[in-house]
Amino acid sequence: MSAEGLPPPAAPRGRPGRLPVPVRTKTGVALLHDEASGNTYAVRLKLAKEHRTVTLRRQTVGGLGLSIKGGAEYRVPVVISKIFKDHAADQTGMLFIGDAILQVNGINVDNAAHEEVVHLLRNAGDEVTVTVEHLREAPSFLRLPLGSPGPPSAHSSQASSPLFDSGLHLNGSSSHTAPSSPPSPVDNEPKYEKRWLDAWSVPLSMARISRYRAGAEKLRSDTFEVLALDGMSTGLLQFPSTQEHADWLGAVAANIHDLMLQTVEMTNKCCSPCDQVMHMGWVSESLGDAGCSQTVRPRFLALKGPSLYVFSTPPVSTLDWVRAEKTYNLCEVLFKVDKPQLPDACCSRTNLGFQGLDFGGQGPHRFSVMVGHGGSHSFSVELGSELAEWEASFQRATFTEVQRMRSRTYVCSWRGRTLCLTVDFTLGFTCFDSKTKNVLWRFKFSQLKGSSDDGKSRIRLLFQNLDTKQIEMKELEFQDLTAVLHCVHSFMAAKVASVDATFMDSQSVTRKFMYSS
């Protein structure tokens, strides 16, 4: 995502580069608002792909309409060095000087020599598909004057130097001299060059979107900013209509999501099978009591292996996982959607794995994570698609962890006697003496008919005896009753999900809302 136009007075944003966006492209106009000065600037936004695949149709006169430099033998990529006006490359509107050629008709040329790429382009047929990536470092050798001596080479003098242009603009023929430009009424007219003109850019990998005013829970209307992991920011982008705001919000979020999937995939290559990342991303956490003045701070959540991690900044290396602010066992937390927010669910889902379900309106969309000792976190996300994915990911991660560890045991007591309660995925509930290990009672999950607790430490479980059909009451006391209740909920839900494939969908609050609407 890049912005063009009058740069804001705060120069720190002016860094060259483009967003690595793998999926969608989008252009539009927005207002860049400087809260400090109160000034507003018109900017053109461009959401662009990191890798672009472009199809060229070779022309009888002009060929592909481009020239290239570089090659693996000189440890530089093969890069488009010239684009000739109104010819094939220019007509695509998607190729630029400084684009490195990665593939030709599906053939990888990342490490190809200069002449190999020339040969492929020349013999690729009338329709040539190239995959390119724009390189900001390329101009250092693109600007060398034509005719400059190239690096030492074992090639013969007839081979084209990678520091000279290999002209593919005339029927695909290659030369090691300066190529002829398309006919011009003025002999010394400068060659046409089509270059990126970004004023500044913000990388989207692990970036976050915010509509909140700094430190407050107050939302900005039709405005958001994108903040990169390295501190870069788009500034406050204001859109002329609610629809344009929603479109841009959804497009940027979709690209951040796809890049996050790539990050998850790379992270999981370094993790054991039982410690894989299920999902991670940015959320906003509300601090303060409901009904009182609240503040909002960004938090990065990750569902990894047996745990929920809460970070202030994302983990970018293996060692970073030990610096989480909070870590909770997934089986002892409870995910809860804030239902009153659902009618305001936002934006259509794209590439998030929830095709066919649409949300309308604007967020934020809130959910709570209930933890041990009665604690909780109140989080929110910008899009309804994000809320749906967090809900499904929590379910998936929790059920996976339950099936992996199979059982969990808690120390408890009753009438001064120290006991243990084991919650087992196969056997259900087992209570035994902590010293003698003698089993006092055992019931299957299906035999649990009800429960109640005092909100502090004591729980009352009602089981049905399979022989007598009578209800038996069992009372126990725990140090952390909340964690035990959440664990029982996790095990019982995972048990049902293991025999009913539709259970997860039936328990989704966001899906229930969607289908009822």
Side-chain angles (χ1 to χ4, degrees):
M1 180 177 176
S2 56
E4 298 177 6
L6 280 173
R13 291 194 184 111
R15 182 187 71 173
R18 277 193 317 113
L19 290 180
V21 180
V23 179
R24 285 211 242 151
T25 59
K26 185 177 176 63
T27 58
V29 176
L31 294 177
L32 178 63
H33 180 65
D34 187 340
E35 283 189 314
S37 66
N39 295 329
T40 301
Y41 307 87
V43 293
R44 184 173 72 85
L45 303 178
K46 184 178 182 64
L47 196 59
K49 299 179 182 179
E50 179 184 14
H51 294 170
R52 282 164 282 128
T53 299
V54 184
T55 299
L56 300 126
R57 288 172 177 79
R58 195 185 305 272
Q59 298 175 338
T60 304
V61 177
L64 297 178
L66 57 81
S67 298
I68 62 172
K69 286 181 179 179
E73 67 270 39
Y74 296 93
R75 298 181 182 178
V76 291
V78 174
V79 178
I80 295 176
S81 58
K82 287 186 175 63
I83 291 178
F84 296 96
K85 193 170 185 179
D86 297 329
H87 286 256
D90 178 49
Q91 289 173 359
T92 67
M94 293 183 67
L95 292 174
F96 300 85
I97 291 174
D99 282 346
I101 299 176
L102 306 180
Q103 290 185 345
V104 177
N105 284 351
I107 299 173
N108 194 322
V109 296
D110 254 344
N111 299 309
H114 181 79
E115 285 302 320
E116 291 175 327
V117 180
V118 170
H119 178 77
L120 276 174
L121 290 170
R122 182 194 304 157
N123 298 284
D126 292 336
E127 194 169 272
V128 184
T129 299
V130 294
T131 298
V132 298
E133 176 184 8
H134 192 69
L135 299 180
R136 287 296 186 175
E137 302 302 320
S140 61
F141 66 83
L142 287 181
R143 289 176 183 148
L144 289 178
L146 292 174
S148 300
S153 172
H155 288 39
S156 69
S157 59
Q158 297 301 313
S160 46
S161 165
L163 298 181
F164 297 166
D165 284 352
S166 292
L168 299 173
H169 57 288
L170 294 174
N171 297 317
S173 61
S174 172
S175 68
H176 61 278
T177 59
S180 302
S181 299
S184 169
V186 182
D187 290 340
N188 61 353
E189 179 183 351
K191 292 182 177 66
Y192 174 76
E193 292 190 348
K194 184 175 183 179
R195 295 181 182 270
W196 290 99
L197 298 172
D198 297 332
W200 70 95
S201 299
V202 178
L204 285 183
S205 181
M206 283 192 165
R208 66 181 178 90
I209 301 173
S210 176
R211 295 197 296 127
Y212 289 103
R213 294 187 185 276
E217 201 176 37
K218 188 175 181 181
L219 290 171
R220 305 180 180 100
S221 176
D222 295 336
T223 304
F224 68 82
E225 66 177 319
V226 181
L227 299 104
L229 186 61
D230 63 0
M232 285 292 295
S233 168
T234 59
L236 297 179
L237 300 173
Q238 188 169 10
F239 297 86
S241 70
T242 300
Q243 186 59 51
E244 284 193 57
H245 171 262
D247 289 346
W248 272 98
L249 187 64
V252 174
N255 282 281
I256 291 175
H257 173 272
D258 290 319
L259 287 166
M260 192 66 74
L261 290 180
Q262 295 178 20
T263 302
V264 168
E265 184 178 354
M266 291 174 60
T267 301
N268 284 339
K269 290 180 180 178
C270 304
C271 300
S272 64
C274 63
D275 200 30
Q276 297 282 291
V277 176
M278 190 72 71
H279 184 56
M280 61 184 186
W282 284 102
V283 298
S284 296
E285 182 178 16
S286 297
L287 304 175
D289 297 329
C292 302
S293 177
Q294 293 188 326
T295 58
V296 173
R297 63 180 179 180
R299 285 292 174 263
F300 191 87
L301 303 186
L303 302 173
K304 182 175 183 284
S307 304
L308 163 66
Y309 293 84
V310 182
F311 294 92
S312 57
T313 57
V316 294
S317 70
T318 304
L319 297 177
D320 288 341
W321 288 94
V322 300
R323 61 174 178 78
E325 287 188 355
K326 300 284 185 180
T327 304
Y328 302 103
N329 188 290
L330 275 171
C331 292
E332 295 179 348
V333 302
L334 185 65
F335 178 95
K336 182 181 178 183
V337 173
D338 189 346
K339 294 183 183 181
Q341 292 296 322
L342 285 173
D344 297 327
C346 175
C347 245
S348 63
R349 284 191 290 281
T350 304
N351 292 326
L352 298 187
F354 295 97
Q355 290 83 357
L357 299 178
D358 293 325
F359 289 87
Q362 291 192 359
H365 309 287
R366 305 180 190 279
F367 64 90
S368 297
V369 176
M370 320 301 288
V371 298
H373 296 288
S376 68
H377 293 272
S378 178
F379 298 118
S380 65
V381 290
E382 295 296 337
L383 303 179
S385 56
E386 295 175 294
L387 176 63
E389 187 163 29
W390 275 114
E391 183 184 29
S393 297
F394 261 92
Q395 286 183 333
R396 235 176 18 251
T398 301
F399 295 172
T400 300
E401 177 56 18
V402 167
Q403 294 185 10
R404 184 194 67 81
M405 70 177 183
R406 306 301 292 182
S407 69
R408 192 164 183 84
T409 300
Y410 295 92
V411 175
C412 56
S413 63
W414 181 241
R415 293 178 179 173
R417 187 178 180 184
T418 303
L419 308 174
C420 290
L421 176 70
T422 296
V423 186
D424 188 277
F425 186 72
T426 303
L427 301 177
F429 302 93
T430 301
C431 184
F432 58 91
D433 187 283
S434 64
K435 293 181 179 179
T436 65
K437 309 302 180 185
N438 292 330
V439 173
L440 304 178
W441 48 263
R442 176 177 286 140
F443 294 97
K444 297 179 180 178
F445 289 124
S446 59
Q447 291 177 263
L448 181 64
K449 300 304 179 184
S451 66
S452 62
D453 64 83
D454 63 0
K456 297 177 182 178
S457 61
R458 184 176 297 184
I459 185 172
R460 183 175 295 164
L461 301 171
L462 303 177
F463 297 102
Q464 184 180 47
N465 188 299
L466 294 179
D467 297 323
T468 65
K469 306 301 181 184
Q470 298 298 310
I471 298 297
E472 297 183 17
M473 182 180 69
K474 306 296 182 182
E475 291 190 38
L476 298 171
E477 290 186 2
F478 296 89
Q479 259 193 331
D480 187 356
L481 179 60
T482 305
V484 177
L485 292 175
H486 292 167
C487 182
V488 171
H489 177 275
S490 298
F491 270 75
M492 294 188 69
K495 186 69 173 179
V496 176
S498 69
V499 296
D500 182 359
T502 64
F503 177 72
M504 283 182 63
D505 286 349
S506 70
Q507 295 300 299
S508 170
V509 175
T510 48
R511 288 175 182 268
K512 284 180 182 177
F513 169 75
M514 286 309 309
Y515 289 124
S516 65
S517 299

